[in-house]
Amino acid sequence: MCGIAGVYGKKAHIKTMLLTLSQLERGTLGCGIAWIKRTKIKYYKRPTHPVTVFRDIIEKLHIDTHVAISHNRLPSVGDVSLQNTHPFIACDRTFALIHNGTAFNHGLRIQLLREGHRIRGTTDSELLCHYLEDLLLTHGSFEDALLELAETKLNGAILVLAWDGTIYGIRTFSNPIHYLELDGEVYIASTEEAIMTVTENEEDIQPLKAYQLLKVKNGKVELIGEGKEEPKITYKYSVCSGYDWWRLKDWWKNL
């Protein structure tokens, strides 16, 4: 169980990390962030606690971006290492991918290595990134490629940040994605509780249906596909486990 988050809006790198710090119960054994700078994918990740990564972003990195995605890790496949920490970057650096779930893609690693993909770690999540590259070559669009990925190889939930600043999200059963549109900005997270640090109006937070594609471009949300019905499950987690709630609320107020 990992945590994924994404933001389109002012100071997106700080806001997506605040969403990450609001879901620490989903893992603290690695953290990373990807963002856009002049149509180029930039990223920073470390196999350490998300609070440490957040401090690095605030104190060391000079980031100015309107779109970012971030990840906090609870490993199910692969050890705790830099190579296994999300996000994963496409070989041609046209997108970054973060994943919550276990993909169970046996045999896919050998296929991708034979095709020349540069696989550096031992996680199944990294394989999804490189397989998506192959699907993009076949389909020519992120929309069609991600819909096929969900039907064939994906187990869990992913966010993808494309070179043009578009965020895509898609999930299978049991791995939630929630999103909020607020004042021209969009907030995405694994848990509804994480987004509740942004707004007190729970009704504004929307769940993404399984096998439905979320597309966020220029601050506008588009849903592609009808999705599939699934058993009603209520996801409740301990918000901000290991981090002070009041400190996060102060951060939001000062942005």
Side-chain angles (χ1 to χ4, degrees):
M1 180 180 70
C2 299
I4 57 178
V7 171
Y8 177 94
K10 295 179 180 179
K11 299 181 181 179
H13 56 296
I14 295 177
K15 292 176 179 177
T16 189
M17 284 301 303
L18 291 176
L19 293 178
T20 291
L21 294 177
S22 298
Q23 52 186 19
L24 293 184
E25 75 285 346
R26 301 185 71 87
T28 59
L29 299 177
C31 181
I33 181 172
W35 67 95
I36 295 293
K37 182 178 181 180
R38 300 189 185 94
T39 71
K40 294 185 182 298
I41 299 286
K42 300 289 184 179
Y43 70 98
Y44 180 78
K45 60 183 181 179
R46 290 183 63 186
T48 187
H49 198 286
V51 170
T52 301
V53 175
F54 183 58
R55 288 172 179 163
D56 288 347
I57 290 170
I58 296 300
E59 298 172 2
K60 299 179 182 180
L61 302 180
H62 302 286
I63 303 175
D64 182 15
T65 187
H66 66 285
V67 59
I69 60 174
S70 59
H71 183 274
N72 54 302
R73 186 171 185 238
L74 182 64
S76 57
V77 177
D79 59 357
V80 178
S81 67
L82 178 63
Q83 291 79 9
N84 289 336
T85 304
H86 305 223
F88 300 105
I89 311 300
C91 292
D92 60 6
R93 301 183 69 89
T94 56
F95 68 87
L97 179 147
I98 55 178
H99 175 224
N100 167 36
T102 304
F104 303 110
N105 287 320
H106 303 295
L108 183 58
R109 178 180 299 273
I110 294 174
Q111 172 189 329
L112 293 170
L113 287 171
R114 286 175 176 171
E115 293 173 357
H117 289 280
R118 298 187 295 274
I119 301 173
R120 294 179 169 83
T122 56
T123 72
D124 52 349
S125 302
E126 185 180 9
L127 302 183
L128 292 175
C129 178
H130 295 293
Y131 187 67
L132 179 57
E133 290 186 76
D134 286 355
L135 293 178
L136 282 169
L137 290 175
T138 300
H139 292 286
S141 74
F142 277 99
E143 292 86 349
D144 291 337
L146 284 165
L147 288 169
E148 180 173 337
L149 180 69
E151 292 287 354
T152 57
K153 300 295 184 182
L154 177 63
N155 181 60
I158 59 172
L159 291 180
V160 172
L161 176 59
W163 65 272
D164 65 351
T166 303
I167 298 176
Y168 299 93
I170 198 164
R171 54 176 288 260
T172 59
F173 297 127
S174 301
N175 296 85
I177 292 177
H178 294 83
Y179 65 93
L180 167 70
E181 297 179 80
L182 181 66
D183 298 330
E185 299 189 338
V186 182
Y187 305 87
I188 309 166
S190 299
T191 68
E192 185 180 51
E193 288 83 356
I195 305 180
M196 285 295 292
T197 60
V198 183
T199 178
E200 296 181 357
N201 192 350
E202 187 175 358
E203 295 180 354
D204 291 339
I205 303 173
Q206 301 297 319
L208 181 68
K209 292 182 179 180
Y211 298 93
Q212 185 177 53
L213 181 63
L214 172 70
K215 179 179 179 181
V216 179
K217 186 172 185 178
N218 297 326
K220 296 182 179 180
V221 170
E222 180 183 359
L223 299 176
I224 300 172
E226 296 296 326
K228 298 182 181 180
E229 296 297 327
E230 59 185 317
K232 179 65 175 179
I233 301 174
T234 302
Y235 299 93
K236 294 292 181 184
Y237 301 102
S238 175
V239 180
C240 305
S241 175
Y243 203 70
D244 294 329
W245 174 268
W246 65 269
R247 295 183 66 184
L248 293 176
K249 298 294 282 188
D250 283 346
W251 267 103
W252 285 111
K253 292 177 182 177
N254 293 328
L255 287 173

